[in-house]
Amino acid sequence: MLRIDILTIFPEMLTETFNSGILRIAQEKGLIAVFSHNIRDYTTNKHGKTDDRPFGGGPGMVMTAQPVVSAVRAVIQMSSAPYRLIFPGPDGKRFNQLHAQEFSTAERLIFVCGRYEGFDQRIFDILQPEVYSIGDYVLTGGELAAAVMTDAASRLIPGALGKIESAHDESFSLSDNGKQLLDYPHYTQPAEYEGLTVPEVLRGGNHKLIHEWRLAAARRKTAESRPDLLD
């Protein structure tokens, strides 16, 4: 079982996400266990604060070291399983399908979600986390990024999807001589809609020709939409 701990000051943000769809099914099957922890529960500030103004001035607030470090240390002690400590952030390495596959084989993932202008640098210096970004943009907090990485990893655990082939036959899992490809176009009933028809090869039943068509279509789609994957 993969244990996932998420530390945040807004645990309610994640409740519906983890109680829906594949993530709910994976938990019901005992494939993953998700725990949310409120960082505010670990602050020693009498007003329950977890942030303060930055030294040197500037807009916004910065999450203070004490509650975050205390929360992480306490959560680590809740399980003896080896863990990976992950901070979502725009300055991290770009999260991709290969990382999702790595995460899916871990025993435990601990996500720490920032807010405001980010974390006091000493949090990184003390805890030495891995930092991952889901894209070149800034979110209001790390919760959505943690949910994205959790979803991407959980669906790759055998048994989470109806058929494991579903995870192997999709964007970034398709491969062409070692290069990642985007998914090929998909069609379903009816065979004709508003004058557009399903390619004949997909209706012919020849699996070899279908495979060749799908691979060629995936190559074309990747060249058009993500040529960087082919470089």
Side-chain angles (χ1 to χ4, degrees):
M1 176 188 289
L2 169 60
R3 174 178 174 128
I4 301 168
D5 293 279
I6 300 181
L7 285 71
T8 169
I9 60 173
F10 295 114
E12 65 275 7
M13 282 188 63
L14 302 169
T15 302
E16 192 62 31
T17 297
F18 292 121
N19 288 332
S20 304
I22 295 299
L23 292 175
R24 175 183 60 79
I25 294 172
Q27 291 178 84
E28 291 175 349
K29 290 182 176 181
L31 303 175
I32 66 172
V34 182
F35 301 91
S36 295
H37 310 274
N38 195 331
I39 295 172
R40 295 187 193 278
D41 294 340
Y42 298 89
T43 182
T44 57
N45 182 280
K46 64 180 180 180
H47 301 296
K49 288 183 61 178
T50 59
D51 61 284
D52 212 328
R53 296 186 181 280
F55 279 111
M61 304 290 277
V62 176
M63 293 191 70
T64 53
Q66 180 276 314
V68 175
V69 172
S70 295
V72 170
R73 286 173 172 168
V75 169
I76 287 174
Q77 297 302 313
M78 294 178 182
S79 170
S80 60
Y83 62 88
R84 296 179 67 167
L85 180 61
I86 300 158
F87 279 47
D91 52 348
K93 66 178 69 174
R94 180 72 68 85
F95 182 78
N96 60 33
Q97 189 73 3
L98 294 178
H99 297 134
Q101 292 169 357
E102 291 177 11
F103 285 9
S104 73
T105 62
E107 291 188 46
R108 188 182 185 194
L109 302 174
I110 302 176
F111 292 97
V112 183
C113 305
R115 279 273 154 177
Y116 315 120
E117 294 300 310
F119 295 102
D120 185 308
Q121 177 59 37
R122 290 166 292 187
I123 295 172
F124 296 100
D125 298 338
I126 294 169
L127 298 176
Q128 295 292 307
E130 304 175 60
V131 184
Y132 284 89
S133 167
I134 62 169
D136 294 339
Y137 47 86
V138 178
L139 300 171
T140 55
E143 291 81 8
L144 296 179
V148 165
M149 289 186 274
T150 297
D151 184 280
S154 298
R155 64 191 302 278
L156 296 178
I157 299 173
L161 299 177
K163 294 183 178 180
I164 190 60
E165 291 84 357
S166 298
H168 296 161
D169 196 19
E170 61 187 4
S171 291
F172 307 111
S173 293
L174 289 171
S175 177
D176 181 24
N177 293 323
K179 297 182 184 296
Q180 290 181 315
L181 298 177
L182 299 181
D183 201 1
Y184 48 78
H186 294 270
Y187 296 88
T188 186
Q189 297 293 341
E192 180 178 349
Y193 179 71
E194 293 194 358
L196 300 174
T197 59
V198 176
E200 186 63 35
V201 64
L202 299 180
R203 294 183 281 168
N206 187 318
H207 294 291
K208 180 176 183 296
L209 293 180
I210 290 173
H211 172 74
E212 292 173 351
W213 181 92
R214 286 175 168 171
L215 183 59
R219 287 175 182 148
R220 287 194 301 272
K221 187 175 180 180
T222 305
E224 293 170 1
S225 300
R226 289 291 304 277
D228 57 293
L229 293 175
L230 302 177
D231 292 338

